[in-house]
Structure formats: C-alpha cells, structure tokens
Amino acid sequence: MNKGFWQSGHTPTLLSAFLYFDVAFMIWVVLGPLAVQIATSLELTQAQKGLMVATPVLAGGLLRVVMGVLVDHLRPKKAGLIGQLIVIGALSWAWLAGIHSFREVLVLGVLLGFAGAAFAVALPLASRWYPPQHQGTALGIAGAGNSGTVLAALFAPGLAAAYGWGNVFGMALIPVGAAFVVYLLFAKDAPDCPPPKSLHQYLNVLKDKDAWWFMFFYFCTFGGFVGLASSLTLYFNDQYGMTPIEAGYFTAACVFAGSLVRPIGGALADRIGGIRTLLVMYVLASIFIAIVSFGAASPWVALIWFILGMGSLGIGNGAVFQLVPQRFRKEIGVMTGLVGMAGGVGGFYLASSLGYIRGATGSYQNGLLIFSGLCIVALIGLSSVKTRWRTTWGAAAIAGAKV
C-alpha cells in the first residue's frame, strides 16, 4: 500500500465501506457465538443447531444477488442505507419482542441475512474508486470487514452470560447505529458508476462460464471461512466441553486469522497474481482442514490447525476478488452479488452439514473431510482455466494488473 494507492481513490469511502461491512458482518454471524446459549434455552437438537447458525449465512448469500441489483439501479450508497435500516429493524424486534421458538430464531436469521448482503454493497462501493492495479488492495481492505466475526465471537457469549442472550441484540444496535451515521456522512458513490442493467443483461453474465468458476472458487474460500466462523463455537463446546465464553474466544482467534490476512491476500495477488495465490491457498486449506478432521488431543492443537486453515481461506478470499473486477469490471455490481451469493451458499452448506453429520454420526470428521475435498476440486478447476485466463483477459497488456 504505497502512496500511489491512497491517492488513486477515495479514502473516506473506502474506510466507510470497511466499517459498514465490519459491523454488518458482526451482526450476520452473531447467532453462531450465541448458539450454545440459545440452543440450551430453546432445547434444540444438533441438526437444529446447525440450521440455526447456517440460516443467516444462506439468507445473506441469496440476498447478495438482490443487493447487487439494487447497487446497479440505486447506486451503492443508497442500497447500503436500505440494508442497514432493515437490520436495525430486525435487531429491535428481536430485542423488544424476544425470541421464543426455533421458528422465530429462523425468521431472525433470514432478516440478519441483510447484514451479510452488505458484501454486495461495500465491495462495489470501494472498487469503483480504484484502478485495476489497486483492486486487490482496495477490495482486501473493504473485505477485511469480515473481521466483524471476531467481535461477535469475543463479546457475544460473555454479554449473553451477564445480561441474557436476548439483550445482546439490543446492545448490538449501538455499533450498528454508529456505523450507519458514519456511512451516511462519509461514503460517496464513484462518479463513473455504470448505468443500470436490464434483467436480460444480468442473465447474460451467467452465460459466461468464467462467472460460474468464480462462484465455485468463492464457494470454497468464503464458504469455508464463514461456515467455520458460524460453527466453531459449537465445535469447541461439543468436542472439548468448553464453556460458551471459552469456545467464543477460541473461535475469535480462528476468525481473526482469516480476517487479518484477507487484505494481505489481495495485496499478495496484486504482486504475484491472483491465480498463483489461489493455487497455493487451496492446497494449504485442504491439508489443514483434513488434518483437524481427524481430531486433536487438545483444543489448543485444534486451534492451531483451524487458524492455519482459516488463514489460508482468508488469503484466498482476497485473491478471488483481485481477479473478479479485472474480468467483470463493467458487471462488478451483479458479479459481486453472484459470487458473494455462492460464498454464502458455501457457508450454509458447511455449517448445516457439520450439524447434520454431527447429529447422525456423533463426529464432525466426515463433514470436514468433504469440504477439504471440495478445495481440491477447486484447485483442479483453477489449474484447468489458468492458461486461458492469462492469455486472454488476464494478459498484462489488457488488464494492467497481474493475474
């Protein structure tokens, strides 16, 4: 991040996008850190626990497409304001009326999906201000807002133990309201926002096989990150009998690793190329997740493997979005929504499958091994397209950035 980077875009918008995304991400996954206490209170089964933490992830993924359309039609800033107001309403309802059943917690999970859909707003808001050679760094900084999951894991279980898990939703309104004000005052739409597209133009993007590749690549990297972020509090509680607060601290350490390195992943991709970065990260993520699936003698050993695995996935997240704006710069709004949706679906798959497999077999092993295998499939897929990408849209003379 040299002087040229900071002069090439609009720093207040970049930082506002980061703060919006950070707080939204904290709210999106808050049911994960609260899962042990909510499950005890509502007497949920293992499968219900998995579905509870996975529902906001799936809703957020699907709503990213909706928000991507709004970004193109209303521009990013107005779309972000709408999404934030819906989240404020959902938290207010959960706090004032209370959550009394599994059905109600699922409804809340769907509404919290609008917080996860912030991804489809924050990234185009930042991306449109920066040239191709700085896309990885700019989107890495904006995308580092996924560190909000660290805040949820650190503070939500302790606040729930002290004040009751229902009141955590009311306390969450404080940072959400503050982020809303900052976003309202400092975020600005880029002057060269592309004109709105028709539904036919949106569907045309899906005719491009590269769009499907990017969706699958992010299904694995971001899906693995957010699926584990939503599930690890339950994992450490089930596997090692840790208290919700202790499990939250361990989860926070893992999530912090994955969040911290996302900007590094974007910057690294700018320097050596997104394809090369992704190839290495898929190998490492697959290895680390496979190792931890066989169980560890202590939670500290498991913590190390999860930190390494989520760190690899975090770097991969940054690398994917170093490539997307280069390939689909004119369609960045809808592509952010589609690729983000695929990541959310991946997170839903991982979180729900871990809960289901744990209930059916008494172990998380098979669920983790399957996901490790998906990383290998992504590695093979990327290897099959890398030559074509580098010699067409990724050629240095065309892209102006390394691919």
Side-chain angles (χ1 to χ4, degrees):
M1 292 186 292
N2 54 31
K3 186 177 180 180
F5 167 78
W6 295 110
Q7 293 177 338
S8 67
H10 191 255
T11 301
T13 296
L14 178 61
L15 298 182
S16 296
F18 164 78
L19 180 62
Y20 163 40
F21 191 24
D22 193 64
V23 173
F25 225 93
M26 175 186 71
I27 301 304
W28 187 31
V29 301
V30 73
L31 293 183
L34 296 176
V36 175
Q37 287 124 316
I38 294 176
T40 301
S41 177
L42 301 182
E43 299 180 346
L44 304 183
T45 65
Q46 287 288 345
Q48 287 175 325
K49 291 179 189 179
L51 187 59
M52 173 180 64
V53 301
T55 295
V57 179
L58 177 62
L62 298 177
L63 287 169
R64 285 175 174 186
V65 178
V66 177
M67 294 302 286
V69 173
L70 289 180
V71 161
D72 275 349
H73 283 265
L74 302 180
R75 295 200 169 192
K77 182 170 182 176
K78 187 177 292 186
L81 292 173
I82 293 171
Q84 290 176 79
L85 288 173
I86 293 174
V87 172
I88 289 173
L91 291 173
S92 299
W93 163 66
W95 175 41
L96 297 175
I99 303 296
H100 307 100
S101 68
F102 179 57
R103 179 179 297 177
E104 289 182 355
V105 82
L106 292 184
V107 172
L108 175 62
V110 172
L111 293 174
L112 294 184
F114 280 94
F119 176 91
V121 178
L123 269 66
L125 181 68
S127 172
R128 289 172 177 174
W129 280 103
Y130 291 87
Q133 63 267 30
H134 292 309
Q135 284 294 310
T137 304
L139 294 186
I141 292 173
N146 58 28
S147 60
T149 50
V150 178
L151 302 176
L154 276 177
F155 298 113
L159 291 174
Y163 302 102
W165 56 266
N167 288 322
V168 174
F169 302 122
M171 297 175 189
L173 286 168
I174 299 173
V176 171
F180 178 82
V181 172
V182 171
Y183 183 90
L184 179 65
L185 295 177
F186 297 105
K188 291 180 61 177
D189 290 315
D192 60 343
C193 285
K197 300 177 180 62
S198 66
L199 179 61
H200 178 70
Q201 288 174 302
Y202 287 119
L203 296 178
N204 276 342
V205 174
L206 292 176
K207 296 178 181 179
D208 192 321
K209 57 186 177 182
D210 285 348
W212 291 96
W213 278 120
F214 278 121
M215 290 167 67
F216 179 63
F217 295 152
Y218 209 60
F219 176 97
C220 294
T221 60
F222 184 78
F225 173 83
V226 75
L228 290 174
S230 300
S231 304
L232 283 181
T233 300
L234 288 171
Y235 177 90
F236 284 115
N237 175 260
D238 289 337
Q239 292 293 99
Y240 301 103
M242 302 177 73
T243 67
I245 296 176
E246 292 172 337
Y249 289 154
F250 272 56
T251 301
C254 298
V255 173
F256 179 74
S259 302
L260 178 68
V261 298
R262 179 165 183 151
I264 298 174
L268 183 63
D270 279 341
R271 181 175 292 274
I272 68 172
I275 292 175
R276 186 176 290 109
T277 303
L278 271 179
L279 288 172
V280 176
M281 290 309 107
Y282 280 132
V283 171
L284 294 178
S286 178
I287 291 173
F288 296 139
I289 292 173
I291 289 174
V292 80
S293 73
F294 289 96
S298 75
W300 292 99
V301 176
L303 175 66
I304 292 172
W305 291 122
F306 275 123
I307 285 176
L308 293 172
M310 291 189 73
S312 301
L313 294 171
I315 290 177
N317 289 334
V320 170
F321 270 91
Q322 184 261 359
L323 295 169
V324 172
Q326 297 185 60
R327 177 62 179 86
F328 294 100
R329 185 164 182 81
K330 293 182 179 179
E331 302 89 3
I332 184 62
V334 67
M335 276 305 299
T336 299
L338 289 171
V339 175
M341 176 200 69
V345 171
F348 171 81
Y349 158 74
L350 181 57
S352 59
S353 67
L354 288 178
Y356 176 79
I357 291 173
R358 172 70 168 80
T361 67
S363 170
Y364 290 100
Q365 182 178 33
N366 290 337
L368 292 170
L369 282 176
I370 291 172
F371 195 81
S372 174
L374 287 175
C375 290
I376 295 299
V377 174
L379 174 69
I380 295 171
L382 183 58
S383 299
S384 71
V385 299
K386 66 178 182 179
T387 300
R388 177 173 61 83
W389 283 9
R390 284 172 173 163
T391 55
T392 54
W393 60 266
I398 300 174
K402 291 186 177 180
V403 170

